[in-house]
Each structure stands twice: as C-alpha cells, then as structure tokens.
C-alpha cells in the first residue's frame, strides 16, 4: 500500500512558485540540523511541519523558533505520521541508515546528510528499499551545489578543458573536528572526508580503477588524522587527495581548501579562504563563509539552500535527484574503503 500523499507536479512555473509544496520534517537538531530547519522554513515550496530531537526541550525550542506545528522526541513516531511527504536526516552519522530505512518503509522520501554507512551491503539495502517503495532518496553531496565547483563541472562537460589530466583536492580542517562526537565513530577519511572523495569522483566523470594511500596518526594514536591518496581512474586520469585536521583554534577559517583541475586545454582552481572577503578586529582576522550557508538580508543562502531546494523540487516534480543518488554514494564509499585498506596494508588496492 502506498501511504505517500500526492505531491507530484510537472516542473512548471506554477508548481515552482509554491502552488504545490512538499511537507517535510527534520530529524536531528544539533547546530547543523537547526541550519537545515531554518533553510526549509524559508523555502516557498516547502512546509516544515515537524522537527525531532531526543531532547524534548530542544525539539520544542526549534519548533517555536521556526513556527513548526509539531515537535517530536521519537523519530519512529514522527515517521509514522501521515502528514509528512519527506524527511531530512541530520543526526549523528551512525544513525543515518537506520532512520532512512524506517522513513522509506513508511513511504517518506529521504534527504540524508552523508555519510550514510560504512558498509557497502547496508548501502545496497538502502538502494533496494528505495526502489521497492518508489522513494526519492537524495544524499547531501553539498559541494555539488557550490557555484564555483558547478561552473568547473559545466566546463568539463562542455569540453572546454580538453582531456582531464589530473585532479588535486586538499582539505585541512579545524582540529576541533577531532573531538566532535558525531565524527568519533567513523574513520576521518570517510567522515567528513567523503566530501573530498565525492568531489573528485564527480569531476572525473569516470570510475576509480585503483587506489594507493598512506595515513598517519598524529594526535590520536587509535585513528589516522592525516591522509594522502592517489586515485587512478579507468581512463588514466589521476586524482590526489590530501586530508588532514590541523587548522588551529586561532583560525582565519574553519578549513584550508584547495582544488585544482588540470586539462589539456585549461586549468581551474579554487582556494578557501580566498581573497574575496576578510575582516580584521582587535581579536582576530576572519574570512566569512561564502559557500555553505551565508546569510543575506536575513535569509540563509549558499550551497545548503540550493541543495535542499533542489531536493524539494525533485519530490514535487516526481523526478529522481540525480545530483545525489544512493548509487553515487556507494561508489564514493567503495573508494573510501579502498583508501583505508591501501593505507593499512601499504599496497595498491584495485577496485572491481
């Protein structure tokens, strides 16, 4: 039996202007979960009808702040509610897959932050459940909604850069991440490093053939906090990942990022923080967020708004969210697990 309300709509201006909307709920109300709730509450084609936290006080607080009619402390209860079309999962990483399965079995479309799982088999189960229940499932590959990266991708697809020769992605993140509870149970190359992996696979437009990686444990002896990996794609393209977690507390920005794409007819580069905006005062120098969720005239914009708006469009228009599929998530995970295996064994890992 199909329990999902009919929110289907052809992609017309009438539909997009809000005469059809998708009813959504958010599970997980930490700092990033609240950002999701705020963005959804401001989208004209979304009705944010429920929020869920294991803390009753937090759930009520966010519901009141963003004028949400329902608050929950149990995601099981929330996901059985027929008033929802879709759910946005922003909990601790190791709860994503479980909540997503329950949501899909209750006929809810799913947006989930990554990482979904560290198991290829569990990812396959999510794929099967989504197909069986005709669910639109989107994984939050946030950097695909960054204007700069999307422009690079567009030029690659148009052939403007010629044949790709190499990709390089460095991400040195604020070291406070090392102590964040939501990252404690996963290898850092998978979470949050899966974003770096996805960026290279998305731009490469090809499958990984083999991986060679090294890692180092500097702060924590029981887990690696520095990673280097070389990914060779089937077409011969080489991608290099440098992932570490040592941006100090007295930082200009929460991360030091560099992306370089080299082709036979062009080169593209992104650096964060860049020279676009700086603030000085007596305490520190800062570079503001202009990518993830910058605020403009009281409204959250940036990649997060674009990503969640895209998902809502897909549900309303009854089309698969091609910019964040479960199958793409599985390929990213496969590459990530190969990086881990290569670093552990000190050998090249070939992917099937």
């Amino acid at each position: 039996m199909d329990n999902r309300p009919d929110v289907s709509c052809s992609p017309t201006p009438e539909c997009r202007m809000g005469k059809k909307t998708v009813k959504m709920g958010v599970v997980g109300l930490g700092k990033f979960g609240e950002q999701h709730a705020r963005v959804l509450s401001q989208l004209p084609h979304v009705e944010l009808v429920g929020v869920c936290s294991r803390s009753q006080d937090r759930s009520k607080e966010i519901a009141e702040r963003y004028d949400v009619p329902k608050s929950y402390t149990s995601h099981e209860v929330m996901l059985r509610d027929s008033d929802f079309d879709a759910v946005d999962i922003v909990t601790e990483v190791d709860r994503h897959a479980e909540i997503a399965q329950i949501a899909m079995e209750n006929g809810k479309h799913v947006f989930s932050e990554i990482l979904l799982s560290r198991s290829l088999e569990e990812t396959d189960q999510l794929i099967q459940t989504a197909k069986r229940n005709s669910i639109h499932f989107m994984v939050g590959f946030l950097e695909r909604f960054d204007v700069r990266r999307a422009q690079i991708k567009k030029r690659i697809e148009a052939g403007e850069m010629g044949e790709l020769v190499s990709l390089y992605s460095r991400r040195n993140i604020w070291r406070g991440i090392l102590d964040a509870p939501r990252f404690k149970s996963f290898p850092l190359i998978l979470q949050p490093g899966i974003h770096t992996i996805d960026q290279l696979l998305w731009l490469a437009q090809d499958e990984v053939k083999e991986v060679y990686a090294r890692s180092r444990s500097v702060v924590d002896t029981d887990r690696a906090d520095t990673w280097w990996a070389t990914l060779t794609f089937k077409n011969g393209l080489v991608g290099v990942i440098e992932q570490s977690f040592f941006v100090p507390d007295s930082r200009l920005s929460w991360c030091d990022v560099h992306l370089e794409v080299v082709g036979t007819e062009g080169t593209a580069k992104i650096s964060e923080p860049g020279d676009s905006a700086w603030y000085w005062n007596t305490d520190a120098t800062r570079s503001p967020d202009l990518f993830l969720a910058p605020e403009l005239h009281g409204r959250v914009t940036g990649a997060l708004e674009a990503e969640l708006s895209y998902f809502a469009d897909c549900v309303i228009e009854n089309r698969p969210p091609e910019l964040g599929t479960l199958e793409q998530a599985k390929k990213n995970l496969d590459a990530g697990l190969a990086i881990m295996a290569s670093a552990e064994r000190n050998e090249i890992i070939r992917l099937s």
Side-chain angles (χ1 to χ4, degrees):
M1 180 178 178
D2 189 349
N3 295 318
R4 291 171 293 133
D6 180 15
V7 296
S8 61
C9 178
S10 59
T12 62
E14 180 184 61
C15 174
R16 186 61 182 83
M17 287 172 65
K19 293 189 177 180
K20 277 284 190 175
T21 60
V22 56
K23 294 182 178 181
M24 290 188 62
V26 178
V27 180
L29 298 176
K31 181 178 179 181
F32 201 37
E34 180 178 355
Q35 277 190 311
H36 278 239
R38 181 182 176 187
V39 169
L40 291 172
S41 72
Q42 72 183 24
L43 294 177
H45 54 315
V46 171
E47 293 181 57
L48 182 57
V49 294
V51 291
C52 179
S53 169
R54 287 175 292 190
S55 165
Q56 187 177 48
D57 290 343
R58 179 64 170 171
S59 186
K60 288 183 176 180
E61 174 192 359
I62 299 302
E64 291 174 2
R65 184 172 298 163
Y66 299 107
D67 196 23
V68 182
K70 297 181 181 180
S71 63
Y72 300 82
T73 56
S74 165
H75 63 269
E76 291 95 340
V77 173
M78 175 177 169
L79 294 172
R80 287 196 297 267
D81 191 331
S82 62
D83 197 34
F84 291 84
D85 305 316
V87 64
D88 179 1
I89 303 172
V90 206
T91 62
E92 301 92 339
V93 179
D94 51 10
R95 299 175 64 210
H96 288 177
E98 171 209 348
I99 296 172
Q101 283 283 9
I102 296 172
M104 290 190 289
E105 294 292 358
N106 282 278
K108 306 296 190 291
H109 301 292
V110 176
F111 177 95
S112 177
E113 277 297 323
I114 55 176
L115 185 71
L116 285 170
S117 170
R118 61 183 297 175
S119 163
L120 293 171
E121 292 74 17
E122 189 170 38
T123 306
D124 278 331
Q125 291 172 8
L126 292 171
I127 292 171
Q128 293 163 9
T129 303
K131 289 180 178 178
R132 185 172 64 250
N133 292 281
S134 300
I135 297 298
H136 296 311
F137 196 121
M138 181 172 169
V139 186
F141 300 132
L142 192 61
E143 289 181 340
R144 299 185 181 199
F145 293 87
D146 173 38
V147 173
R148 300 161 302 171
R149 290 170 175 86
Q151 286 294 318
I152 293 174
K153 173 74 168 178
K154 180 180 179 180
R155 283 161 173 73
I156 292 172
E157 292 179 335
E160 295 179 19
M161 299 186 67
E163 180 181 351
L164 292 187
V165 177
S166 65
L167 304 171
Y168 170 70
S169 182
R170 181 186 75 234
R171 187 191 304 262
N172 182 16
I173 299 178
W174 172 52
R175 62 190 178 198
I177 290 291
L178 295 172
D179 298 319
R182 65 189 298 251
F183 297 123
K184 281 287 189 180
S185 59
F186 282 82
L188 291 166
I189 191 60
L190 292 185
Q191 179 62 16
I194 200 73
H195 287 283
T196 312
I197 295 169
D198 175 69
Q199 180 176 244
L200 259 63
L201 269 63
W202 183 53
L203 294 174
Q205 305 180 110
D206 195 22
E207 295 187 1
V208 178
K209 177 183 177 182
E210 62 184 35
V211 170
Y212 181 68
R214 300 298 299 271
S215 65
R216 186 181 178 197
S217 302
V218 179
V219 174
D220 290 343
T221 57
D222 60 341
R223 64 172 176 169
D225 45 35
T226 307
W227 297 82
W228 299 267
T230 300
L231 282 61
T232 303
F233 294 85
K234 289 183 177 180
N235 62 6
L237 172 66
V238 174
V240 176
I241 289 174
E242 178 187 341
Q243 178 86 54
S244 56
F245 298 84
F246 298 107
V247 171
D249 289 339
S250 56
R251 61 196 187 278
L252 299 175
S253 178
W254 72 278
C255 64
D256 170 28
V257 172
H258 186 78
L259 171 67
E260 182 174 86
V261 180
V262 177
T264 56
E265 298 180 21
T267 298
K269 294 183 179 181
I270 295 173
S271 292
E272 299 170 355
D275 294 328
S276 55
W278 295 93
Y279 298 122
W280 291 267
N281 61 23
T282 55
D283 298 321
T285 302
R286 291 284 184 267
S287 177
D289 170 35
L290 300 176
F291 153 57
L292 174 62
E295 186 172 312
L296 179 64
H297 307 311
R299 179 187 178 92
V300 176
T301 62
L304 182 60
E305 183 196 39
E307 177 183 63
L308 293 173
S309 181
Y310 171 81
F311 171 70
D313 284 339
C314 289
V315 174
I316 290 171
E317 297 164 11
N318 195 27
R319 58 182 170 90
E322 296 178 354
L323 286 172
T325 70
L326 283 166
E327 289 79 8
Q328 292 162 354
K330 182 181 177 182
K331 289 181 179 180
N332 291 340
L333 177 61
D334 197 17
L337 294 174
I339 290 172
M340 291 173 56
S342 177
E344 182 179 347
R345 303 174 197 171
N346 192 24
E347 64 183 30
I348 293 173
I349 300 296
R350 292 178 172 82
L351 281 71
S352 58

